[in-house]
Amino acid sequence: MGVTLDDDARQYLAAFEEVTGVSGQDCLVTDATDADPADERLVVVVSSGGMSEAIGPGGRTVTKYEDHVGKPVRLVEDADDPETFVANTLAPAAVYNVTISENEDTVAYVEVANDDRGVAIGTGGQTIEAARELADRHFGIDDVQLI
């Protein structure tokens, strides 16, 4: 499934690759939250296997990129299968299981640790909303539900 990027996303990915030396697969800008209207952030999908290089020693590489773009950045590692990809979009939440149900809609049901539900949802729902958008863009999954 191909991902179509707008001009802003292409520019953010080009800068990501220039600063980190790691290939990015996708980029989206999450909306600001009601709690903090300035809380707009980038979510960058990193090529599978490139996460540690993108983060860098002590987080220096991703911090350098954040400074470059002037926004907080969340990294998600790409995956070949939808279950692993959905789990990666919710990291660092502990995901026990992802089940894809294909009835009228395609829904990913995600079992997370009770203590990590807040992490999986994120501030103002940013993490779960980004997971939903990325799952749709990469695998045609209509919804992501925590169970």
Side-chain angles (χ1 to χ4, degrees):
M1 178 165 240
V3 176
T4 304
L5 301 173
D6 63 20
D7 288 340
D8 286 342
R10 280 194 292 278
Q11 289 176 353
Y12 284 128
L13 278 181
F16 178 78
E17 292 173 6
E18 180 182 315
V19 170
T20 67
V22 177
S23 179
Q25 303 301 310
D26 194 1
C27 177
L28 58 97
V29 179
T30 64
D31 294 330
T33 64
D34 292 335
D36 187 357
D39 197 21
E40 182 180 81
R41 60 186 64 218
L42 296 178
V43 179
V44 176
V45 178
V46 178
S47 296
S48 184
M51 192 68 124
S52 62
E53 187 178 346
I55 294 169
R60 285 193 296 268
T61 306
V62 72
T63 299
K64 184 177 175 183
Y65 177 65
E66 287 175 327
D67 292 343
H68 181 79
V69 296
K71 297 181 186 312
V73 176
R74 196 168 154 268
L75 302 177
V76 172
E77 188 166 13
D78 199 7
D80 292 332
D81 64 272
E83 293 85 0
T84 302
F85 184 78
V86 168
N88 290 350
T89 64
L90 298 173
V95 174
Y96 296 133
N97 188 38
V98 177
T99 303
I100 308 292
S101 173
E102 296 182 27
N103 292 317
E104 291 178 23
D105 290 335
T106 303
V107 179
Y109 293 99
V110 183
E111 185 181 351
V112 297
N114 283 335
D115 292 347
D116 282 351
R117 287 186 70 78
V119 173
I121 294 168
T123 304
Q126 280 186 325
T127 303
I128 190 75
E129 286 304 318
R132 287 176 176 140
E133 187 169 345
L134 290 170
D136 181 35
R137 287 164 67 145
H138 289 259
F139 290 98
I141 295 171
D142 299 307
D143 196 8
V144 175
Q145 294 290 320
L146 302 180
I147 54 172

